[in-house]
Amino acid sequence: MQLGLIGLGKMGKNMRERIRRAGIEVVGYDRNPAVSDVASLEDLVAALAAPRIVWIMVPHGDPTTQTVAALKELLDPGDLVIDGGNSYYKDDAVNADSLAERDIHYVDCGVSGGVWGLEEGYGLMAGGSREDVERAMPIFDALRPEGPREDGFAHSGEVGAGHYAKMVHNGIEYGLMHAYAEGWELLEAKDIVTDVHGTFRAWTRGTVVRSWLLDLMVKALEETPHLEGVSEFTTDSGEGRWTLMEGIDNAVPMPVLAAALFARFTSRQENSPQMQAVAALRGQFGGHAVQMLDDKADVNPAAQPKVERGQSTEPS
């Protein structure tokens, strides 16, 4: 069996290696010639015997759309394209319909596993026809973790279902990460807890909050105790926003995801405009001190109280 793999970044390169270990021939293409097996998409297609299977592992949006358009002109009827990136699920129908004009088949596949997938395997969520998914099953089996197929792979539904499932997965991930982060900050804030890292490590066995994310939190604290020097600036790659939009469209309350996503937005603001407004309002209605950015001018500086943790300075 052969596979063409487009995109050999942090995940794609490891996926190529894991699939090869399963005995499947992989021809990889990347714009970086240092990691690419061939010089162009044309060379990749020429190296595969028809009917071909080509897996796209590039950033969502224009890079994926452009790659699908290029493959539409290069592949033959009966070939199969799998999009394994983090594409927006509504794009899948557009890409599938475009390829169908030349009788080229399409499957979308949500992939979870990050840089650890090479050794641990990847969680996979596929969307497409039963026939197309079955055709690619040896590849999915090579990528998923060892053990029963259903523990690491799901045929989630029709085209778009795989990326929809991965989108929701990432939305849940946002909430879990933020819950651990809040717990870590509270433990660090209280002097009574002197071994925060050890406490987190103890949670990794036998407790109801154990998870792989918790294991990674312990690893992060081992590498950087108290997370000294780590910037709070946190990006988001889109899936959290899309999940929240779906919650709104379907009247599904998602306060945990909303809080986690908005916290990421806040992390990118050097000086939050919202909190500037709050500080100014507190100065107006309660005479509370308003600290200025140049640290030189205060409004009603005599009103600045000394606040102990847990006390409130709001007027009663």
Side-chain angles (χ1 to χ4, degrees):
M1 187 173 191
Q2 291 180 308
L3 174 69
L5 180 59
I6 302 170
L8 302 172
K10 288 182 292 186
M11 285 186 68
K13 185 177 180 181
N14 284 345
M15 290 168 64
R16 175 177 62 177
E17 176 61 23
R18 187 171 175 90
I19 296 169
R20 283 176 172 172
R21 291 179 184 180
I24 296 172
E25 179 185 350
V26 183
V27 181
Y29 169 70
D30 193 274
R31 290 184 299 177
N32 177 6
V35 298
S36 189
D37 299 319
V38 292
S40 65
L41 285 179
E42 290 83 357
D43 290 344
L44 179 140
V45 171
L48 302 173
R52 306 170 184 86
I53 301 179
V54 177
W55 187 301
I56 301 173
M57 205 68 192
V58 302
H60 65 78
D62 288 343
T64 295
T65 301
Q66 293 166 7
T67 303
V68 169
L71 289 174
K72 180 180 178 181
E73 302 304 317
L74 295 172
L75 295 176
D76 295 321
D79 290 346
L80 170 63
V81 171
I82 302 173
D83 177 11
N86 282 329
S87 293
Y88 187 37
Y89 80 98
K90 290 185 178 180
D91 292 343
D92 290 315
V94 176
N95 290 333
D97 289 345
S98 176
L99 292 173
E101 294 173 359
R102 298 200 59 241
D103 195 25
I104 299 169
H105 300 230
Y106 182 88
V107 166
D108 61 285
C109 185
V111 181
S112 180
V115 297
W116 298 87
L118 174 59
E119 301 301 333
E120 301 291 334
Y122 300 87
L124 306 171
M125 300 136 270
S129 71
R130 181 181 60 81
E131 294 78 12
D132 288 338
V133 170
E134 283 298 320
R135 177 178 165 188
M137 205 64 234
I139 299 166
F140 297 140
D141 282 338
L143 288 170
R144 65 176 179 81
E146 296 180 4
R149 178 178 292 174
E150 58 271 18
D151 286 349
F153 173 83
H155 180 186
S156 297
E158 62 187 25
V159 166
H163 281 145
Y164 194 94
K166 179 56 164 48
M167 175 189 72
V168 175
H169 164 282
N170 282 24
I172 294 170
E173 178 184 294
Y174 276 51
L176 290 172
M177 291 171 67
H178 206 76
Y180 289 134
E182 289 180 353
W184 169 78
E185 182 176 2
L186 184 56
L187 288 173
E188 287 278 351
K190 190 68 173 177
D191 292 340
I192 194 173
V193 180
T194 57
D195 186 1
V196 175
H197 169 260
T199 300
F200 265 85
R201 183 163 185 164
W203 292 350
T204 63
R205 298 291 298 275
T207 73
V208 297
V209 298
R210 65 188 185 273
S211 73
W212 186 44
L213 281 174
L214 182 60
D215 294 341
L216 294 177
M217 184 68 181
V218 171
K219 186 175 185 296
L221 292 173
E222 287 174 352
E223 295 174 351
T224 312
H226 311 293
L227 304 184
E228 303 97 333
V230 176
S231 171
E232 69 174 3
F233 189 97
T234 307
T235 61
D236 69 288
S237 55
E239 295 90 339
R241 302 185 192 203
W242 300 337
T243 308
L244 190 56
M245 289 163 53
E246 286 296 309
I248 294 169
D249 289 346
N250 292 279
V252 175
M254 307 191 80
V256 172
L257 170 58
L261 179 61
F262 294 156
R264 294 195 182 194
F265 295 167
T266 300
S267 79
R268 304 168 206 165
Q269 297 178 324
E270 184 174 349
N271 188 47
S272 169
Q274 295 176 23
M275 295 314 297
Q276 285 178 299
V278 170
L281 284 170
R282 291 181 75 249
Q284 292 295 322
F285 74 72
H288 302 286
V290 179
Q291 180 70 42
M292 306 306 289
L293 289 175
D294 59 10
D295 291 325
K296 295 179 180 178
D298 286 335
V299 175
N300 192 13
Q304 181 67 41
K306 180 179 180 181
V307 182
E308 299 296 333
R309 186 178 295 275
Q311 292 182 338
S312 171
T313 61
E314 297 298 339
S316 57

